[in-house]
Amino acid sequence: MAAQRGEGDEVVTSPATTTPEPAADVRERARAIPEAAVARLAVYLRVLSGLGDQGVTTISSEELAGAAGVNSAKLRKDLSYIGSYGTRGVGYDVEVLVGHIERILGLTRKHSVAVVGIGNLGHALANYGGFGSRGFPVAALFDIDDDLTGVPVGGIPVHHIDDIVTVCTEREISIGVIATPPQAAQAVCDRLVSAGVQCILNFAPVVLQVPDNVEVRKVDLAVEMQILSFHVARRADEAAGDVVNGVGVDGVVIRP
Amino acid sequence: MAAQRGEGDEVVTSPATTTPEPAADVRERARAIPEAAVARLAVYLRVLSGLGDQGVTTISSEELAGAAGVNSAKLRKDLSYIGSYGTRGVGYDVEVLVGHIERILGLTRKHSVAVVGIGNLGHALANYGGFGSRGFPVAALFDIDDDLTGVPVGGIPVHHIDDIVTVCTEREISIGVIATPPQAAQAVCDRLVSAGVQCILNFAPVVLQVPDNVEVRKVDLAVEMQILSFHVARRADEAAGDVVNGVGVDGVVIRP
DNA sequence: CGATGTGAAGCCATTCACAGCA
DNA sequence: TGCTGTGAATGGCTTCACATCG
């Protein structure tokens, strides 16, 4: 079972996978892109799309890096993973770069999405236009509640979770989004996997067990908040420590 | 302006910050915890709390690691960052560990949260019980829409975003959550910063510009989907490449 | 004896700095 | 000349392996 990624998780690009064939350019290239770089490429793509809409045709690494919130060396290295599409002395053609990043991220194909768990978050996700417009049409909704089944949410009818395998297989769902309570998440996950779904975005605060061929990413709001809390605490400590030395958080005496 | 973290972002523990004083144990220790480890500590905490509720009193690194989806060496190293609270030959006391992780994450203090942007996602966040129960009470809601102001959502009245500074200052908000459309995000962020909010969780797909003393974490659903899309594409390539060699994604000829 | 805690080694990722090209 | 693309250097995180101790 593969551990899921998300937040500041481990970023190990399958270390065990052997490289049998010496050739095979593109897939080798795709394999070689560090996970961290993939996440940033998605950000560059968003920024570039915005610039393109504004009529910008060319941009330097310095400018794009600024707009994406990274330093320019990192940006250039990230782009170098996907090829050499810049012009020295000039910069990058926005449209060309958009095309290449979309290709690498696999956005030239449609990826149908199923959302399971139509509570507050599920509703929000079903109604969130950002998915469909970016090539991720929400093609199926599921919930365990009979009162919801049949009722359309965001224009899509809700099915019962017992139908996950049938419906997902039929509609060729490639990404499953789990927005159920934690207790239900693993069972839902198992069904999605049975339906052939290979990628899962998990909002439930549980560690899902999946086969190695399934990719899981998790978004855990509580964890995000706690990371921020850690930084609040650290700052408070530093500030307090600079004045009243010898005493740490919560009045715990550091040097008795 | 500091770049925000999130997803598989850069994890650099403030390299520029100088260490003036040589002593100061706890804050030094807190500072020394790698960002990646902090994220995992939050996961361990959740697992441990669950185990505690089930009556488990002691657990080994191997078991806890399994439940948290990491390997045991990593878990032990993570725990070693916060101190030596295990018993050799036995394992860790669940309750003791929960206490120490909570302390390190700053969860012994309440962190009031403000949610800005009461659309689909904002509604979901306001109604999401997981926050309050975990020490992050949602203490204020804001929206630009006059029709919403005054109306309570999840029991909390919505204020106009013009009141962010007043209300947040008054209620000592320590974490701001931005769930607005992208166009509004930077302006909202600026107001939160003016109100003294030092931590921001950003759901809007934009790169926020903030002063160095403000910590931003971002959750970008589109980016998450695109990372999964990348993996779908990579897998498809590998599978296709193993059979029909010489041709890559989208029929692009690799070896002409 | 068995599991923790931790130096040391290895591996990624970021950053630097400059060669190379338009 | 100016900016890209990239080897080399650096720094952090993960993994290994074992000394240590209850």
Side-chain angles (χ1 to χ4, degrees), chain B residues 11-60:
Chain B
V11 180
V12 184
T13 323
S14 11
T17 325
T18 46
T19 313
E21 297 276 299
D25 300 21
V26 160
R27 355 186 235 121
E28 270 310 304
R29 170 164 289 174
R31 275 273 275 82
I33 303 179
E35 186 81 14
V38 173
R40 286 189 300 265
L41 283 170
V43 175
Y44 305 154
L45 176 60
R46 192 183 62 218
V47 174
L48 285 166
S49 302
L51 290 168
D53 292 347
Q54 288 171 39
V56 179
T57 58
T58 294
I59 192 166
S60 71

mmCIF file of all heavy atoms in Angstrom, chain B residues 11-60:
data_model
loop_
_atom_site.group_PDB
_atom_site.id
_atom_site.type_symbol
_atom_site.label_atom_id
_atom_site.label_comp_id
_atom_site.label_asym_id
_atom_site.label_seq_id
_atom_site.Cartn_x
_atom_site.Cartn_y
_atom_site.Cartn_z
ATOM 1 N N VAL B 11 10.261 23.573 1.235
ATOM 2 C CA VAL B 11 10.215 23.432 2.682
ATOM 3 C C VAL B 11 11.561 23.891 3.222
ATOM 4 O O VAL B 11 12.446 23.111 3.497
ATOM 5 C CB VAL B 11 9.939 21.972 3.082
ATOM 6 C CG1 VAL B 11 9.886 21.829 4.579
ATOM 7 C CG2 VAL B 11 8.643 21.495 2.460
ATOM 8 N N VAL B 12 11.708 25.177 3.325
ATOM 9 C CA VAL B 12 12.957 25.746 3.786
ATOM 10 C C VAL B 12 12.708 26.436 5.118
ATOM 11 O O VAL B 12 11.887 27.328 5.208
ATOM 12 C CB VAL B 12 13.514 26.782 2.787
ATOM 13 C CG1 VAL B 12 14.860 27.278 3.258
ATOM 14 C CG2 VAL B 12 13.614 26.180 1.408
ATOM 15 N N THR B 13 13.372 25.957 6.154
ATOM 16 C CA THR B 13 13.104 26.506 7.479
ATOM 17 C C THR B 13 13.873 27.807 7.676
ATOM 18 O O THR B 13 14.959 27.813 8.219
ATOM 19 C CB THR B 13 13.467 25.480 8.556
ATOM 20 O OG1 THR B 13 13.130 24.188 8.070
ATOM 21 C CG2 THR B 13 12.730 25.742 9.830
ATOM 22 N N SER B 14 13.228 28.893 7.229
ATOM 23 C CA SER B 14 13.787 30.248 7.290
ATOM 24 C C SER B 14 15.314 30.264 7.318
ATOM 25 O O SER B 14 15.907 30.319 8.386
ATOM 26 C CB SER B 14 13.248 30.997 8.512
ATOM 27 O OG SER B 14 12.567 30.135 9.395
ATOM 28 N N PRO B 15 15.939 30.215 6.181
ATOM 29 C CA PRO B 15 17.393 30.139 6.119
ATOM 30 C C PRO B 15 18.062 31.467 6.489
ATOM 31 O O PRO B 15 19.167 31.496 7.000
ATOM 32 C CB PRO B 15 17.670 29.798 4.653
ATOM 33 C CG PRO B 15 16.461 30.265 3.903
ATOM 34 C CD PRO B 15 15.325 30.294 4.871
ATOM 35 N N ALA B 16 17.338 32.555 6.265
ATOM 36 C CA ALA B 16 17.926 33.871 6.485
ATOM 37 C C ALA B 16 18.000 34.245 7.969
ATOM 38 O O ALA B 16 18.868 34.988 8.400
ATOM 39 C CB ALA B 16 17.142 34.937 5.744
ATOM 40 N N THR B 17 17.062 33.669 8.763
ATOM 41 C CA THR B 17 16.980 34.037 10.170
ATOM 42 C C THR B 17 18.274 33.701 10.913
ATOM 43 O O THR B 17 18.705 32.562 10.951
ATOM 44 C CB THR B 17 15.818 33.290 10.856
ATOM 45 O OG1 THR B 17 14.760 33.166 9.925
ATOM 46 C CG2 THR B 17 15.376 34.002 12.095
ATOM 47 N N THR B 18 18.862 34.680 11.497
ATOM 48 C CA THR B 18 20.094 34.458 12.249
ATOM 49 C C THR B 18 19.784 33.931 13.636
ATOM 50 O O THR B 18 18.693 34.118 14.155
ATOM 51 C CB THR B 18 20.887 35.756 12.390
ATOM 52 O OG1 THR B 18 19.978 36.788 12.773
ATOM 53 C CG2 THR B 18 21.557 36.129 11.097
ATOM 54 N N THR B 19 20.724 33.267 14.243
ATOM 55 C CA THR B 19 20.562 32.748 15.592
ATOM 56 C C THR B 19 21.467 33.549 16.519
ATOM 57 O O THR B 19 22.622 33.195 16.712
ATOM 58 C CB THR B 19 20.954 31.257 15.641
ATOM 59 O OG1 THR B 19 20.335 30.595 14.536
ATOM 60 C CG2 THR B 19 20.505 30.615 16.912
ATOM 61 N N PRO B 20 20.919 34.606 17.106
ATOM 62 C CA PRO B 20 21.763 35.494 17.901
ATOM 63 C C PRO B 20 22.196 34.866 19.224
ATOM 64 O O PRO B 20 23.373 34.713 19.481
ATOM 65 C CB PRO B 20 20.861 36.712 18.155
ATOM 66 C CG PRO B 20 19.462 36.287 17.787
ATOM 67 C CD PRO B 20 19.500 34.929 17.201
ATOM 68 N N GLU B 21 21.205 34.454 20.050
ATOM 69 C CA GLU B 21 21.517 33.855 21.337
ATOM 70 C C GLU B 21 21.914 32.398 21.169
ATOM 71 O O GLU B 21 21.297 31.669 20.407
ATOM 72 C CB GLU B 21 20.279 33.939 22.251
ATOM 73 C CG GLU B 21 19.864 35.368 22.565
ATOM 74 C CD GLU B 21 20.652 35.942 23.731
ATOM 75 O OE1 GLU B 21 20.548 35.382 24.831
ATOM 76 O OE2 GLU B 21 21.375 36.935 23.536
ATOM 77 N N PRO B 22 22.892 31.913 21.908
ATOM 78 C CA PRO B 22 23.307 30.519 21.775
ATOM 79 C C PRO B 22 22.388 29.549 22.528
ATOM 80 O O PRO B 22 22.248 28.415 22.152
ATOM 81 C CB PRO B 22 24.707 30.515 22.379
ATOM 82 C CG PRO B 22 24.709 31.662 23.342
ATOM 83 C CD PRO B 22 23.707 32.655 22.855
ATOM 84 N N ALA B 23 21.748 29.998 23.597
ATOM 85 C CA ALA B 23 20.940 29.112 24.430
ATOM 86 C C ALA B 23 19.483 29.021 23.970
ATOM 87 O O ALA B 23 19.218 28.839 22.809
ATOM 88 C CB ALA B 23 20.992 29.586 25.880
ATOM 89 N N ALA B 24 18.555 29.126 24.901
ATOM 90 C CA ALA B 24 17.115 29.125 24.640
ATOM 91 C C ALA B 24 16.596 27.804 24.073
ATOM 92 O O ALA B 24 16.244 27.695 22.909
ATOM 93 C CB ALA B 24 16.725 30.282 23.735
ATOM 94 N N ASP B 25 16.535 26.805 24.948
ATOM 95 C CA ASP B 25 16.217 25.430 24.567
ATOM 96 C C ASP B 25 14.972 25.223 23.722
ATOM 97 O O ASP B 25 15.057 24.822 22.568
ATOM 98 C CB ASP B 25 16.080 24.559 25.832
ATOM 99 C CG ASP B 25 17.356 24.543 26.627
ATOM 100 O OD1 ASP B 25 18.166 25.469 26.447
ATOM 101 O OD2 ASP B 25 17.534 23.603 27.421
ATOM 102 N N VAL B 26 13.808 25.463 24.321
ATOM 103 C CA VAL B 26 12.573 25.092 23.651
ATOM 104 C C VAL B 26 12.342 25.801 22.333
ATOM 105 O O VAL B 26 11.968 25.187 21.345
ATOM 106 C CB VAL B 26 11.347 25.289 24.572
ATOM 107 C CG1 VAL B 26 10.074 25.385 23.740
ATOM 108 C CG2 VAL B 26 11.222 24.124 25.535
ATOM 109 N N ARG B 27 12.603 27.092 22.300
ATOM 110 C CA ARG B 27 12.360 27.758 21.025
ATOM 111 C C ARG B 27 13.363 27.271 19.988
ATOM 112 O O ARG B 27 13.040 27.072 18.839
ATOM 113 C CB ARG B 27 12.425 29.279 21.098
ATOM 114 C CG ARG B 27 12.614 29.854 22.474
ATOM 115 C CD ARG B 27 12.529 31.343 22.452
ATOM 116 N NE ARG B 27 13.722 31.944 23.038
ATOM 117 C CZ ARG B 27 14.515 32.761 22.392
ATOM 118 N NH1 ARG B 27 14.283 33.064 21.136
ATOM 119 N NH2 ARG B 27 15.544 33.287 22.994
ATOM 120 N N GLU B 28 14.583 26.993 20.430
ATOM 121 C CA GLU B 28 15.562 26.414 19.516
ATOM 122 C C GLU B 28 15.027 25.098 18.978
ATOM 123 O O GLU B 28 15.076 24.825 17.794
ATOM 124 C CB GLU B 28 16.885 26.169 20.243
ATOM 125 C CG GLU B 28 17.825 27.337 20.174
ATOM 126 C CD GLU B 28 18.012 27.862 18.760
ATOM 127 O OE1 GLU B 28 18.395 27.062 17.897
ATOM 128 O OE2 GLU B 28 17.751 29.050 18.510
ATOM 129 N N ARG B 29 14.483 24.298 19.898
ATOM 130 C CA ARG B 29 13.952 23.003 19.517
ATOM 131 C C ARG B 29 12.793 23.166 18.534
ATOM 132 O O ARG B 29 12.741 22.490 17.509
ATOM 133 C CB ARG B 29 13.480 22.276 20.783
ATOM 134 C CG ARG B 29 12.686 21.031 20.505
ATOM 135 C CD ARG B 29 12.586 20.170 21.748
ATOM 136 N NE ARG B 29 13.845 19.550 22.100
ATOM 137 C CZ ARG B 29 14.046 18.851 23.206
ATOM 138 N NH1 ARG B 29 13.064 18.715 24.061
ATOM 139 N NH2 ARG B 29 15.210 18.302 23.453
ATOM 140 N N ALA B 30 11.885 24.089 18.841
ATOM 141 C CA ALA B 30 10.741 24.313 17.967
ATOM 142 C C ALA B 30 11.226 24.771 16.592
ATOM 143 O O ALA B 30 10.726 24.318 15.569
ATOM 144 C CB ALA B 30 9.812 25.354 18.572
ATOM 145 N N ARG B 31 12.179 25.648 16.613
ATOM 146 C CA ARG B 31 12.724 26.140 15.344
ATOM 147 C C ARG B 31 13.346 25.014 14.535
ATOM 148 O O ARG B 31 13.299 24.999 13.323
ATOM 149 C CB ARG B 31 13.804 27.203 15.628
ATOM 150 C CG ARG B 31 13.302 28.574 15.827
ATOM 151 C CD ARG B 31 13.143 29.344 14.519
ATOM 152 N NE ARG B 31 14.377 29.977 14.069
ATOM 153 C CZ ARG B 31 15.334 29.347 13.395
ATOM 154 N NH1 ARG B 31 15.210 28.079 13.116
ATOM 155 N NH2 ARG B 31 16.398 30.010 13.005
ATOM 156 N N ALA B 32 13.906 24.046 15.228
ATOM 157 C CA ALA B 32 14.666 23.005 14.561
ATOM 158 C C ALA B 32 13.790 21.929 13.924
ATOM 159 O O ALA B 32 14.284 21.105 13.181
ATOM 160 C CB ALA B 32 15.624 22.358 15.546
ATOM 161 N N ILE B 33 12.508 21.918 14.234
ATOM 162 C CA ILE B 33 11.646 20.875 13.667
ATOM 163 C C ILE B 33 11.405 21.153 12.193
ATOM 164 O O ILE B 33 10.901 22.215 11.840
ATOM 165 C CB ILE B 33 10.293 20.813 14.396
ATOM 166 C CG1 ILE B 33 10.528 20.582 15.888
ATOM 167 C CG2 ILE B 33 9.431 19.716 13.803
ATOM 168 C CD1 ILE B 33 9.251 20.528 16.696
ATOM 169 N N PRO B 34 11.783 20.219 11.323
ATOM 170 C CA PRO B 34 11.558 20.433 9.888
ATOM 171 C C PRO B 34 10.071 20.603 9.595
ATOM 172 O O PRO B 34 9.231 19.946 10.216
ATOM 173 C CB PRO B 34 12.080 19.140 9.253
ATOM 174 C CG PRO B 34 12.968 18.519 10.260
ATOM 175 C CD PRO B 34 12.458 18.950 11.592
ATOM 176 N N GLU B 35 9.781 21.487 8.663
ATOM 177 C CA GLU B 35 8.403 21.741 8.254
ATOM 178 C C GLU B 35 7.665 20.440 7.928
ATOM 179 O O GLU B 35 6.515 20.241 8.330
ATOM 180 C CB GLU B 35 8.418 22.649 7.022
ATOM 181 C CG GLU B 35 7.076 23.133 6.544
ATOM 182 C CD GLU B 35 6.560 24.322 7.354
ATOM 183 O OE1 GLU B 35 7.343 24.926 8.111
ATOM 184 O OE2 GLU B 35 5.359 24.620 7.230
ATOM 185 N N ALA B 36 8.337 19.555 7.212
ATOM 186 C CA ALA B 36 7.706 18.292 6.819
ATOM 187 C C ALA B 36 7.324 17.479 8.045
ATOM 188 O O ALA B 36 6.292 16.808 8.066
ATOM 189 C CB ALA B 36 8.650 17.494 5.925
ATOM 190 N N ALA B 37 8.164 17.560 9.080
ATOM 191 C CA ALA B 37 7.885 16.795 10.290
ATOM 192 C C ALA B 37 6.676 17.375 11.025
ATOM 193 O O ALA B 37 5.882 16.638 11.603
ATOM 194 C CB ALA B 37 9.112 16.796 11.193
ATOM 195 N N VAL B 38 6.546 18.696 11.005
ATOM 196 C CA VAL B 38 5.408 19.345 11.664
ATOM 197 C C VAL B 38 4.098 18.823 11.077
ATOM 198 O O VAL B 38 3.163 18.472 11.797
ATOM 199 C CB VAL B 38 5.471 20.875 11.517
ATOM 200 C CG1 VAL B 38 4.203 21.525 12.048
ATOM 201 C CG2 VAL B 38 6.691 21.420 12.237
ATOM 202 N N ALA B 39 4.038 18.746 9.753
ATOM 203 C CA ALA B 39 2.838 18.257 9.084
ATOM 204 C C ALA B 39 2.523 16.839 9.539
ATOM 205 O O ALA B 39 1.372 16.498 9.789
ATOM 206 C CB ALA B 39 3.017 18.307 7.570
ATOM 207 N N ARG B 40 3.568 16.026 9.667
ATOM 208 C CA ARG B 40 3.313 14.646 10.084
ATOM 209 C C ARG B 40 2.928 14.552 11.547
ATOM 210 O O ARG B 40 2.112 13.719 11.931
ATOM 211 C CB ARG B 40 4.544 13.786 9.798
ATOM 212 C CG ARG B 40 4.720 13.476 8.316
ATOM 213 C CD ARG B 40 5.808 12.443 8.123
ATOM 214 N NE ARG B 40 7.085 12.897 8.634
ATOM 215 C CZ ARG B 40 8.018 13.483 7.893
ATOM 216 N NH1 ARG B 40 7.831 13.667 6.608
ATOM 217 N NH2 ARG B 40 9.153 13.872 8.430
ATOM 218 N N LEU B 41 3.500 15.425 12.375
ATOM 219 C CA LEU B 41 3.131 15.406 13.792
ATOM 220 C C LEU B 41 1.626 15.604 13.948
ATOM 221 O O LEU B 41 0.985 14.969 14.778
ATOM 222 C CB LEU B 41 3.899 16.499 14.552
ATOM 223 C CG LEU B 41 5.364 16.178 14.854
ATOM 224 C CD1 LEU B 41 6.091 17.404 15.386
ATOM 225 C CD2 LEU B 41 5.475 15.027 15.861
ATOM 226 N N ALA B 42 1.067 16.466 13.122
ATOM 227 C CA ALA B 42 -0.369 16.700 13.174
ATOM 228 C C ALA B 42 -1.129 15.419 12.837
ATOM 229 O O ALA B 42 -2.173 15.125 13.427
ATOM 230 C CB ALA B 42 -0.768 17.821 12.219
ATOM 231 N N VAL B 43 -0.589 14.651 11.906
ATOM 232 C CA VAL B 43 -1.233 13.381 11.547
ATOM 233 C C VAL B 43 -1.108 12.381 12.698
ATOM 234 O O VAL B 43 -2.075 11.712 13.056
ATOM 235 C CB VAL B 43 -0.616 12.794 10.267
ATOM 236 C CG1 VAL B 43 -1.192 11.417 9.961
ATOM 237 C CG2 VAL B 43 -0.851 13.734 9.090
ATOM 238 N N TYR B 44 0.092 12.302 13.280
ATOM 239 C CA TYR B 44 0.276 11.377 14.405
ATOM 240 C C TYR B 44 -0.719 11.728 15.509
ATOM 241 O O TYR B 44 -1.306 10.854 16.127
ATOM 242 C CB TYR B 44 1.702 11.460 14.972
ATOM 243 C CG TYR B 44 2.804 11.248 13.965
ATOM 244 C CD1 TYR B 44 4.069 11.801 14.152
ATOM 245 C CD2 TYR B 44 2.599 10.471 12.819
ATOM 246 C CE1 TYR B 44 5.092 11.599 13.240
ATOM 247 C CE2 TYR B 44 3.618 10.283 11.891
ATOM 248 C CZ TYR B 44 4.853 10.853 12.103
ATOM 249 O OH TYR B 44 5.870 10.671 11.198
ATOM 250 N N LEU B 45 -0.865 13.025 15.735
ATOM 251 C CA LEU B 45 -1.764 13.471 16.800
ATOM 252 C C LEU B 45 -3.175 12.960 16.553
ATOM 253 O O LEU B 45 -3.836 12.463 17.463
ATOM 254 C CB LEU B 45 -1.761 15.006 16.858
ATOM 255 C CG LEU B 45 -2.723 15.627 17.859
ATOM 256 C CD1 LEU B 45 -2.400 15.163 19.272
ATOM 257 C CD2 LEU B 45 -2.657 17.149 17.778
ATOM 258 N N ARG B 46 -3.612 13.063 15.322
ATOM 259 C CA ARG B 46 -4.976 12.616 15.007
ATOM 260 C C ARG B 46 -5.117 11.111 15.248
ATOM 261 O O ARG B 46 -6.073 10.647 15.868
ATOM 262 C CB ARG B 46 -5.302 12.939 13.550
ATOM 263 C CG ARG B 46 -6.764 12.779 13.227
ATOM 264 C CD ARG B 46 -7.012 13.029 11.761
ATOM 265 N NE ARG B 46 -6.309 12.067 10.929
ATOM 266 C CZ ARG B 46 -5.723 12.362 9.762
ATOM 267 N NH1 ARG B 46 -5.721 13.604 9.312
ATOM 268 N NH2 ARG B 46 -5.138 11.431 9.063
ATOM 269 N N VAL B 47 -4.120 10.369 14.767
ATOM 270 C CA VAL B 47 -4.159 8.915 14.951
ATOM 271 C C VAL B 47 -4.129 8.569 16.437
ATOM 272 O O VAL B 47 -4.900 7.729 16.906
ATOM 273 C CB VAL B 47 -2.973 8.252 14.222
ATOM 274 C CG1 VAL B 47 -2.902 6.771 14.529
ATOM 275 C CG2 VAL B 47 -3.092 8.470 12.721
ATOM 276 N N LEU B 48 -3.241 9.230 17.162
ATOM 277 C CA LEU B 48 -3.108 8.947 18.597
ATOM 278 C C LEU B 48 -4.398 9.275 19.345
ATOM 279 O O LEU B 48 -4.820 8.529 20.229
ATOM 280 C CB LEU B 48 -1.944 9.757 19.188
ATOM 281 C CG LEU B 48 -0.551 9.244 18.841
ATOM 282 C CD1 LEU B 48 0.500 10.293 19.168
ATOM 283 C CD2 LEU B 48 -0.246 7.949 19.584
ATOM 284 N N SER B 49 -5.032 10.383 18.987
ATOM 285 C CA SER B 49 -6.286 10.746 19.649
ATOM 286 C C SER B 49 -7.321 9.652 19.426
ATOM 287 O O SER B 49 -8.018 9.242 20.355
ATOM 288 C CB SER B 49 -6.821 12.074 19.094
ATOM 289 O OG SER B 49 -5.858 13.089 19.284
ATOM 290 N N GLY B 50 -7.381 9.173 18.195
ATOM 291 C CA GLY B 50 -8.314 8.090 17.882
ATOM 292 C C GLY B 50 -8.025 6.848 18.712
ATOM 293 O O GLY B 50 -8.919 6.235 19.285
ATOM 294 N N LEU B 51 -6.749 6.497 18.806
ATOM 295 C CA LEU B 51 -6.355 5.325 19.575
ATOM 296 C C LEU B 51 -6.687 5.514 21.052
ATOM 297 O O LEU B 51 -7.165 4.595 21.705
ATOM 298 C CB LEU B 51 -4.850 5.072 19.409
ATOM 299 C CG LEU B 51 -4.416 4.586 18.032
ATOM 300 C CD1 LEU B 51 -2.903 4.648 17.899
ATOM 301 C CD2 LEU B 51 -4.902 3.161 17.799
ATOM 302 N N GLY B 52 -6.430 6.722 21.538
ATOM 303 C CA GLY B 52 -6.725 7.020 22.931
ATOM 304 C C GLY B 52 -8.209 6.810 23.228
ATOM 305 O O GLY B 52 -8.573 6.207 24.236
ATOM 306 N N ASP B 53 -9.052 7.284 22.304
ATOM 307 C CA ASP B 53 -10.493 7.125 22.484
ATOM 308 C C ASP B 53 -10.900 5.654 22.502
ATOM 309 O O ASP B 53 -11.883 5.269 23.121
ATOM 310 C CB ASP B 53 -11.254 7.843 21.356
ATOM 311 C CG ASP B 53 -11.086 9.362 21.464
ATOM 312 O OD1 ASP B 53 -10.617 9.821 22.529
ATOM 313 O OD2 ASP B 53 -11.420 10.073 20.498
ATOM 314 N N GLN B 54 -10.120 4.839 21.788
ATOM 315 C CA GLN B 54 -10.421 3.408 21.755
ATOM 316 C C GLN B 54 -9.849 2.680 22.967
ATOM 317 O O GLN B 54 -9.961 1.457 23.069
ATOM 318 C CB GLN B 54 -9.821 2.761 20.492
ATOM 319 C CG GLN B 54 -10.533 3.124 19.208
ATOM 320 C CD GLN B 54 -9.750 2.619 18.001
ATOM 321 O OE1 GLN B 54 -9.183 1.530 18.021
ATOM 322 N NE2 GLN B 54 -9.713 3.417 16.950
ATOM 323 N N GLY B 55 -9.214 3.425 23.824
ATOM 324 C CA GLY B 55 -8.687 2.813 25.037
ATOM 325 C C GLY B 55 -7.260 2.310 24.948
ATOM 326 O O GLY B 55 -6.753 1.713 25.898
ATOM 327 N N VAL B 56 -6.602 2.521 23.816
ATOM 328 C CA VAL B 56 -5.203 2.103 23.696
ATOM 329 C C VAL B 56 -4.340 3.025 24.562
ATOM 330 O O VAL B 56 -4.506 4.238 24.509
ATOM 331 C CB VAL B 56 -4.727 2.187 22.228
ATOM 332 C CG1 VAL B 56 -3.268 1.777 22.107
ATOM 333 C CG2 VAL B 56 -5.602 1.323 21.330
ATOM 334 N N THR B 57 -3.450 2.460 25.343
ATOM 335 C CA THR B 57 -2.639 3.284 26.246
ATOM 336 C C THR B 57 -1.181 3.358 25.814
ATOM 337 O O THR B 57 -0.495 4.319 26.117
ATOM 338 C CB THR B 57 -2.678 2.752 27.686
ATOM 339 O OG1 THR B 57 -2.204 1.397 27.675
ATOM 340 C CG2 THR B 57 -4.098 2.775 28.236
ATOM 341 N N THR B 58 -0.719 2.317 25.120
ATOM 342 C CA THR B 58 0.682 2.256 24.709
ATOM 343 C C THR B 58 0.773 1.807 23.259
ATOM 344 O O THR B 58 -0.036 0.994 22.813
ATOM 345 C CB THR B 58 1.432 1.237 25.609
ATOM 346 O OG1 THR B 58 1.454 1.745 26.929
ATOM 347 C CG2 THR B 58 2.844 1.021 25.115
ATOM 348 N N ILE B 59 1.767 2.353 22.550
ATOM 349 C CA ILE B 59 1.914 1.947 21.148
ATOM 350 C C ILE B 59 3.378 2.017 20.737
ATOM 351 O O ILE B 59 4.122 2.883 21.201
ATOM 352 C CB ILE B 59 1.027 2.840 20.236
ATOM 353 C CG1 ILE B 59 0.951 2.247 18.826
ATOM 354 C CG2 ILE B 59 1.557 4.274 20.215
ATOM 355 C CD1 ILE B 59 -0.139 2.860 17.980
ATOM 356 N N SER B 60 3.789 1.093 19.885
ATOM 357 C CA SER B 60 5.180 1.081 19.424
ATOM 358 C C SER B 60 5.318 1.956 18.177
ATOM 359 O O SER B 60 4.333 2.277 17.522
ATOM 360 C CB SER B 60 5.603 -0.348 19.084
ATOM 361 O OG SER B 60 4.955 -0.780 17.905
#
